[in-house]
Amino acid sequence: MRIILRILSIIAALGTGACGNPERTTVQANPVMPKEAAMLTQIIANTGVRVAPLDGVGADIGQPIIEAVSEALIELDIPAIAGQPLAGAHQLNGQASLSQGSIRIAWTLRRPNGEELMAFDEREAALSASAIQALAGRTAQAIAPLAP
């Protein structure tokens, strides 16, 4: 019986690494980039911009526009999301109207507390993919000057 216990204790010692020092591996996290003043904006304040669904048009017209605006903002290093709720974010609302194939959008950018930050209009003579991209780019450029 003693032999069996001794064998079991040797096996247990071998299994736990008692025969040598195990190598230690250190895992380093990616370093956090320091925030620079140029990277921060009045708009984002670590929250981003929610591009709300457009009022006045259906999702078939409005959704591609708000997605394009969101992408244009992201290209300008302004975090944005199209349509979905985003707690604590600035909100870009648009009231759209269609007339003979052209679109006019009255945009309003609001702070997270609901205070209006700016309002402006954009018009586009067509609803083609390139026209929507152009409209989105102009909209993002109108918001961008709020960055320091």
Side-chain angles (χ1 to χ4, degrees):
M1 183 72 159
R2 274 189 172 174
I3 294 174
I4 294 174
L5 289 176
R6 205 171 262 192
I7 292 171
L8 288 176
S9 65
I10 291 171
I11 292 172
L14 289 173
T16 59
C19 291
N21 293 333
E23 284 189 34
R24 293 184 181 253
T25 56
T26 305
V27 177
Q28 291 186 343
N30 291 335
V32 176
M33 290 179 55
K35 291 184 179 178
E36 297 176 20
M39 294 170 62
L40 303 176
T41 65
Q42 292 177 353
I43 293 176
I44 61 171
N46 296 327
T47 61
V49 175
R50 175 187 184 243
V51 184
L54 291 177
D55 292 329
V57 293
D60 58 327
I61 294 172
Q63 191 65 29
I65 294 171
I66 65 169
E67 287 176 3
V69 170
S70 177
E71 290 171 12
L73 288 168
I74 290 168
E75 287 178 14
L76 295 175
D77 295 326
I78 300 171
I81 189 166
Q84 301 173 8
L86 186 60
H90 282 66
Q91 182 156 309
L92 181 62
N93 295 318
Q95 177 64 47
S97 58
L98 295 173
S99 176
Q100 299 174 356
S102 66
I103 189 166
R104 177 187 165 272
I105 303 174
W107 294 105
T108 304
L109 180 66
R110 297 188 181 280
R111 296 184 190 275
N113 66 4
E115 175 189 350
E116 185 176 307
L117 187 58
M118 70 181 303
F120 59 98
D121 286 2
E122 284 295 334
R123 298 173 195 267
E124 190 58 53
L127 290 175
S128 66
S130 61
I132 289 172
Q133 291 300 318
L135 183 139
R138 290 192 310 270
T139 301
Q141 289 294 332
I143 293 171
L146 296 177

